[in-house]
Amino acid sequence: MLLKIPRLYDSHTHFLATGEFAAGLSLFDLPSAEAVQDIKLEGKTAFRGGWLVGFGWDENKWASKALPSKDLLDKVFPNHPVYLCRADGHTAWVNSKALQALGLQSATGLLSEKDHLQSWEKIPPYQKEQQRQQILAACKLYNEAGFTHIRDMSCTDELWALLVEMEEKGELTLAVEENYTFHELNDLDRVIQSVQQARKSESKLLRAKGVKFFYDGSLGSETALLSKPYGGHGDNFGKTLWNLADVEEIFKRTWIAGLEVSVHTIGDEAAHHMVQLARKVSAQGFVGRLNLEHAQVLRPETIQMMKPLHVRCHMQPCHWQSDRKWLKQKLHGLYKYVFPWEALKNAQIPISFGCDSPIEPSSFFANKYALEESPKDDIKKFTGDIAVFHGHPDSTYTNSWTVIEDNQIKEVIFNEKRIL
Ligand SMILES: [Zn+2]
């Protein structure tokens, strides 16, 4: 079957992190701890300052199943600090040089959680040329997966400036929408200013859209905010990271500035709070676009309440595929509201599909497969046209399309040029 999709769009992604993974030292296939002595670094952006950085090792894939130690790294890399993140992102394997530079003591060379996250912040940044390499690697990865349009959730002033420069040189093979993430109300005015500043250098390919914050957590860690307890009993309903008075400020200030608000909302109660608040604020005369990121559980009443608002839900069917094994157990009575793409489509609430790379690979096929599989787990069959819901909704945003045949990308035309 031949499919021609205009403006194939990944509507929720982390651009630079995807490039960092693509261009950096990947350890996902490391066959044993000892194999670090054979890693190849040519052509990779593996150094931050003098630090060798890599990610993806997992001792469960090794014959020994044993956690690695700093002694091995000291032997192989005696001369510079080494910092290797585990696949789950919660632990790092480091050498003595790194511990010394960080002012930490550890007999094993394993840093976890807070020690790891704080240390990660202290490693010198990538240089501009490395970031350029990472962006090029990310473009290649998205293009090979058929995508011509992405919506990035993790912009910075530095990244925007670099993208402008790369577009001028003709190096950019993606249309990119940018959003700035923030975590505190104190930071809101700064990110609003950044987006407004970026808007002055918008171009054919680059669009600065708005700001993003996290309202709740995730279903996997049972921190997404639900209206019923996890597992159907007990007192864990998940949690929110904000109080509603502060969110009201965010909506008002962002919409007054003419920008979009994007909110990470996974649980049904989290989405309900955001939609209820958007209605309240709209009734006071503040109007703007609200993007619900993920929207993995939605009650029918919440969907109905979206109708008069400018809401778009950005969903990742591939996440369903990764989570399906425990969804029924965790959600219990709320399971009937999970991944409600069909209910949203029927209510004519705009949806866009994406992949959340690098958390999941950027793949149209993974989403297509998940949408086809989901009825097997009692999720209503999606009857919309995936070519429409996976395409960028603005038909004036470059002349681009992707041709797919027999589950393979056959041709990618970006901005009237064939790039694949
Ligand atoms: Zn994300």
Side-chain angles (χ1 to χ4, degrees):
M1 201 184 69
L2 195 85
L3 208 57
K4 182 181 167 183
I5 307 181
R7 302 173 305 284
L8 190 60
Y9 180 40
D10 187 333
S11 96
H12 178 119
T13 193
H14 304 276
F15 193 13
L16 205 50
T18 299
E20 191 184 340
F21 272 53
L25 172 59
S26 166
L27 304 170
F28 287 93
D29 297 324
L30 194 73
S32 66
E34 291 69 27
V36 289
Q37 57 202 339
D38 306 321
I39 55 176
K40 296 196 172 49
L41 301 173
E42 301 90 67
K44 298 204 167 101
T45 58
F47 283 92
R48 283 173 60 173
W51 292 58
L52 175 64
V53 173
F55 13 65
W57 62 270
D58 180 354
E59 78 284 359
N60 293 311
K61 292 181 183 168
W62 304 341
S64 70
K65 310 270 185 234
L67 283 162
S69 82
K70 72 172 181 193
D71 300 339
L72 177 63
L73 288 184
D74 286 344
K75 206 172 73 193
V76 183
F77 305 103
N79 301 323
H80 46 78
V82 178
Y83 201 97
L84 307 177
C85 301
R86 195 174 180 276
D88 66 355
H90 291 267
T91 301
W93 172 27
V94 309
N95 67 354
S96 294
K97 281 264 181 210
L99 288 171
Q100 206 182 344
L102 293 163
L104 293 173
Q105 307 266 335
S106 162
T108 58
L110 295 169
L111 305 176
S112 56
E113 304 301 341
K114 214 171 152 203
D115 277 342
H116 161 47
L117 294 175
Q118 285 176 348
S119 301
W120 184 246
E121 301 281 304
K122 291 182 193 160
I123 301 175
Y126 290 106
Q127 285 158 11
K128 188 174 158 190
E129 178 53 28
Q130 290 178 303
Q131 293 201 324
R132 196 180 139 266
Q133 291 301 331
Q134 292 167 349
I135 291 170
L136 290 172
C139 284
K140 185 162 178 276
L141 199 125
Y142 291 114
N143 291 156
E144 283 175 357
F147 293 101
T148 56
H149 289 61
I150 63 162
R151 177 166 167 269
D152 181 24
M153 308 314 296
S154 309
C155 195
T156 61
D157 295 339
E158 225 183 334
L159 175 60
W160 180 268
L162 188 53
L163 290 175
V164 169
E165 217 178 285
M166 290 178 72
E167 181 180 357
E168 279 166 7
K169 287 194 216 149
E171 292 179 328
L172 210 57
T173 54
L174 280 174
V176 183
E177 294 174 319
E178 285 295 357
N179 296 280
Y180 284 68
T181 296
F182 68 105
H183 302 282
E184 284 170 53
L185 195 57
N186 281 336
D187 224 14
L188 176 63
D189 288 334
R190 179 188 65 83
V191 287
I192 286 178
Q193 268 174 27
S194 284
V195 187
Q196 285 178 323
Q197 190 59 34
R199 283 210 161 165
K200 292 181 189 155
S201 49
E202 272 192 341
S203 59
K204 186 165 188 185
L205 302 182
L206 298 174
R207 294 181 175 180
K209 304 300 283 187
V211 303
K212 184 215 170 181
F213 65 98
F214 288 79
Y215 187 65
D216 69 347
S218 71
L219 292 175
S221 57
E222 303 194 354
T223 49
L225 188 67
L226 300 179
S227 60
K228 294 196 167 103
Y230 281 88
H233 56 83
D235 56 8
N236 181 22
F237 290 74
K239 60 184 171 196
T240 107
L241 305 169
W242 289 82
N243 69 59
L244 286 171
D246 286 354
V247 179
E248 192 170 329
E249 274 299 299
I250 298 171
F251 282 19
K252 286 180 181 171
R253 283 197 229 164
T254 308
W255 287 346
I256 287 171
L259 308 179
E260 297 188 1
V261 174
S262 299
V263 195
H264 170 109
T265 47
I266 291 201
D268 67 311
E269 193 62 9
H272 195 76
H273 285 185
M274 291 304 99
V275 170
Q276 217 166 23
L277 189 65
R279 286 183 65 123
K280 178 183 163 190
V281 171
S282 299
Q284 296 168 20
F286 301 91
V287 179
R289 158 89 60 202
L290 174 62
N291 297 293
L292 296 180
E293 306 303 320
H294 313 301
Q296 291 182 353
V297 195
L298 294 172
R299 305 197 293 273
E301 47 169 326
T302 313
I303 295 175
Q304 290 308 310
M305 283 166 59
M306 291 179 191
K307 283 187 171 172
L309 298 168
H310 303 283
V311 174
R312 179 174 288 270
C313 294
H314 297 269
M315 308 183 86
Q316 301 83 34
C318 54
H319 277 322
W320 166 76
Q321 178 69 16
S322 304
D323 298 353
R324 63 189 287 192
K325 49 194 175 295
W326 43 253
L327 278 174
K328 275 190 179 154
Q329 181 269 321
K330 281 193 198 298
L331 288 173
H332 211 253
L334 294 172
Y335 185 79
K336 57 182 180 283
Y337 305 137
V338 83
F339 290 96
W341 28 68
E342 182 65 6
L344 285 165
K345 192 219 89 187
N346 289 339
Q348 294 181 301
I349 307 297
I351 322 169
S352 288
F353 290 132
C355 307
D356 209 359
S357 164
I359 295 175
E360 304 269 0
S362 190
S363 165
F364 167 79
F365 298 113
N367 279 345
K368 182 167 170 280
Y369 180 73
L371 289 171
E372 286 162 3
E373 280 284 293
S374 57
K376 292 184 184 164
D377 283 11
D378 311 313
I379 289 170
K380 260 215 172 121
K381 187 177 162 47
F382 182 65
T383 60
D385 180 353
I386 188 170
V388 172
F389 288 85
H390 231 311
H392 193 285
D394 180 358
S395 64
T396 69
Y397 196 8
T398 77
N399 190 11
S400 305
W401 67 87
T402 299
V403 177
I404 292 170
E405 196 178 5
D406 304 324
N407 283 332
Q408 276 186 333
I409 308 291
K410 287 286 174 199
E411 181 182 79
V412 180
I413 305 293
F414 174 67
N415 203 13
E416 284 168 359
K417 274 197 234 87
R418 181 160 184 177
I419 55 167
L420 201 93

Coordinates of all heavy atoms in Angstrom, one line a residue, residues 12-14 153-154 212 214 264 293-294 316 319 355-359, ligand 1:
H12 N 5.9 15.9 19.5 CA 6.4 16.1 20.9 C 7.8 15.4 20.9 O 7.9 14.2 20.9 CB 5.5 15.5 21.9 CG 6.0 15.6 23.3 ND1 5.4 16.3 24.3 CD2 7.2 15.2 23.9 CE1 6.1 16.3 25.4 NE2 7.2 15.6 25.2
T13 N 8.8 16.2 20.9 CA 10.2 15.6 20.9 C 11.2 16.5 21.6 O 10.9 17.7 21.9 CB 10.6 15.3 19.4 OG1 11.7 14.5 19.4 CG2 10.9 16.6 18.7
H14 N 12.3 15.9 21.9 CA 13.4 16.7 22.6 C 14.6 16.7 21.6 O 15.3 15.7 21.5 CB 13.7 16.1 23.9 CG 12.5 16.0 24.8 ND1 12.1 17.1 25.6 CD2 11.5 15.1 25.0 CE1 10.9 16.8 26.2 NE2 10.6 15.6 25.9
M153 N 10.3 20.4 22.6 CA 9.8 20.9 23.9 C 10.9 21.5 24.7 O 10.7 21.9 25.8 CB 9.1 19.8 24.6 CG 8.0 19.0 23.8 SD 6.9 20.1 23.0 CE 6.1 20.9 24.3
S154 N 12.2 21.5 24.2 CA 13.3 21.8 25.1 C 14.2 22.8 24.4 O 15.4 22.6 24.3 CB 14.1 20.6 25.4 OG 13.3 19.6 25.9
K212 N 6.5 25.7 28.2 CA 6.0 24.4 28.7 C 6.4 24.1 30.1 O 7.5 24.5 30.6 CB 6.6 23.3 27.8 CG 6.1 21.9 28.2 CD 7.2 20.8 28.0 CE 6.7 19.5 28.6 NZ 7.7 18.5 28.6
F214 N 5.6 21.2 33.6 CA 5.1 19.8 34.0 C 4.1 20.0 35.1 O 4.4 20.5 36.2 CB 6.2 19.0 34.6 CG 7.2 18.5 33.5 CD1 8.2 19.4 33.0 CD2 7.2 17.2 33.0 CE1 9.1 18.9 32.1 CE2 8.1 16.8 32.1 CZ 9.0 17.6 31.6
H264 N 2.5 19.4 30.5 CA 2.7 18.0 30.7 C 1.6 17.5 31.6 O 1.6 17.9 32.8 CB 4.1 17.7 31.2 CG 4.3 16.3 31.7 ND1 5.1 15.4 31.0 CD2 3.8 15.6 32.8 CE1 5.1 14.2 31.7 NE2 4.3 14.3 32.7
E293 N 0.1 17.9 26.7 CA 1.1 16.9 26.3 C 0.8 15.6 27.0 O 0.7 15.5 28.2 CB 2.5 17.4 26.8 CG 2.9 18.9 26.4 CD 2.8 19.0 24.9 OE1 3.3 18.1 24.1 OE2 2.3 20.1 24.4
H294 N 0.8 14.6 26.1 CA 0.6 13.2 26.5 C -0.9 12.9 26.7 O -1.4 12.0 26.0 CB 1.4 12.8 27.7 CG 2.8 13.2 27.6 ND1 3.6 12.8 26.6 CD2 3.6 14.0 28.4 CE1 4.8 13.4 26.8 NE2 4.8 14.1 27.9
Q316 N 1.3 10.1 22.1 CA 2.3 9.2 21.6 C 1.8 7.8 21.7 O 2.0 7.2 22.8 CB 3.6 9.4 22.4 CG 4.2 10.9 22.4 CD 3.5 11.8 23.4 OE1 3.1 11.4 24.5 NE2 3.3 13.0 23.0
H319 N 4.0 5.2 23.4 CA 4.1 5.1 24.9 C 3.1 4.0 25.4 O 3.3 3.3 26.3 CB 3.7 6.4 25.5 CG 4.9 7.4 25.6 ND1 6.2 7.0 25.9 CD2 4.9 8.7 25.5 CE1 7.0 8.0 26.0 NE2 6.2 9.1 25.7
C355 N 6.4 11.1 19.2 CA 7.1 9.9 19.7 C 7.9 10.2 21.0 O 8.3 9.3 21.7 CB 8.1 9.4 18.7 SG 7.3 9.1 17.1
D356 N 8.1 11.5 21.4 CA 8.8 11.8 22.7 C 10.3 11.3 22.6 O 10.8 10.9 23.7 CB 8.1 11.2 23.9 CG 8.3 12.0 25.1 OD1 9.1 13.0 25.1 OD2 7.8 11.6 26.2
S357 N 10.9 11.3 21.5 CA 12.3 11.0 21.4 C 13.2 11.9 22.3 O 12.8 13.1 22.4 CB 12.7 11.1 19.9 OG 14.1 11.2 19.7
P358 N 14.2 11.5 22.9 CA 14.8 10.2 22.8 C 14.3 9.1 23.8 O 14.8 8.0 23.9 CB 16.3 10.5 23.2 CG 16.2 11.6 24.2 CD 15.0 12.4 23.8
I359 N 13.2 9.4 24.5 CA 12.6 8.4 25.4 C 12.1 7.2 24.6 O 12.2 6.1 25.0 CB 11.5 9.1 26.3 CG1 12.1 10.2 27.2 CG2 10.7 8.1 27.1 CD1 11.1 11.0 28.0
Ligands
ZN1 ZN 8.7 14.8 26.4

